[in-house]
């Protein structure tokens, strides 16, 4: 069973930074693509970033390109999402999910971590 646990969310001022972590348990994430998506109240779920399991190539939504960086550290079974230059519109619950391939259906996801960008 795919289990993922997110952490690192919090309250940050506009322009600030946060680093989210996604730790896999009970499975090895080496062979999975891992992505982050977010859900804000009253808004549609949005895929934010994804990193391939085969070659580690990243992909980003246009709304975060140049500000967010996804990376993976397979020895720690962890994927990170570095978020810089945060904006109020980035406020959402952020989830990580495992995929066979980026863009495909998720095979598992975590419970989410809240990110609030506000002054």
């Amino acid at each position: 069973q795919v289990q993922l646990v997110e952490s690192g969310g919090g309250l940050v001022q506009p322009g600030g930074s946060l680093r989210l972590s996604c730790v896999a348990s009970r499975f090895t994430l080496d062979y999975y693509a891992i992505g982050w998506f977010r859900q804000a109240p009253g808004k549609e779920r949005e895929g934010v970033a994804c990193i391939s399991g085969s070659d580690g190539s990243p992909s980003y939504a246009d709304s975060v390109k140049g500000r967010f960086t996804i990376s993976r550290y397979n020895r720690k079974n962890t994927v990170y999402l570095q978020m810089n230059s945060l904006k109020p519109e980035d406020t959402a619950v952020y989830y990580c999910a495992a995929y066979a391939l980026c863009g495909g259906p998720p095979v598992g996801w975590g419970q989410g971590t809240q990110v609030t960008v506000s002054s």
Side-chain angles (χ1 to χ4, degrees):
Q1 183 180 0
V2 172
Q3 290 190 344
L4 297 163
V5 179
E6 304 93 336
S7 62
L11 173 63
V12 64
Q13 292 186 341
S17 298
L18 283 174
R19 189 178 77 161
L20 305 184
S21 299
C22 172
V23 180
S25 63
R26 300 187 183 183
F27 77 103
T28 300
L29 58 72
D30 296 32
Y31 307 110
Y32 290 87
I34 303 293
W36 290 90
F37 64 91
R38 62 189 181 187
Q39 181 82 60
K43 294 186 178 181
E44 291 188 0
R45 183 179 300 175
E46 179 187 19
V48 172
C50 191
I51 188 163
S52 166
S54 58
D55 60 7
S57 58
S59 57
Y60 301 95
D62 288 343
S63 59
V64 306
K65 202 171 290 184
R67 300 188 297 122
F68 290 11
T69 302
I70 189 170
S71 59
R72 62 193 301 154
Y73 192 2
N74 287 348
R75 291 179 64 182
K76 288 189 174 182
N77 229 23
T78 301
V79 169
Y80 301 101
L81 185 68
Q82 178 68 43
M83 306 187 297
N84 299 330
S85 302
L86 282 162
K87 305 175 181 180
E89 51 263 45
D90 294 318
T91 296
V93 179
Y94 284 71
Y95 301 85
C96 67
Y99 307 84
L101 294 171
C102 287
V107 298
W109 55 90
Q111 82 291 345
T113 185
Q114 175 70 48
V115 172
T116 303
V117 185
S118 175
S119 56

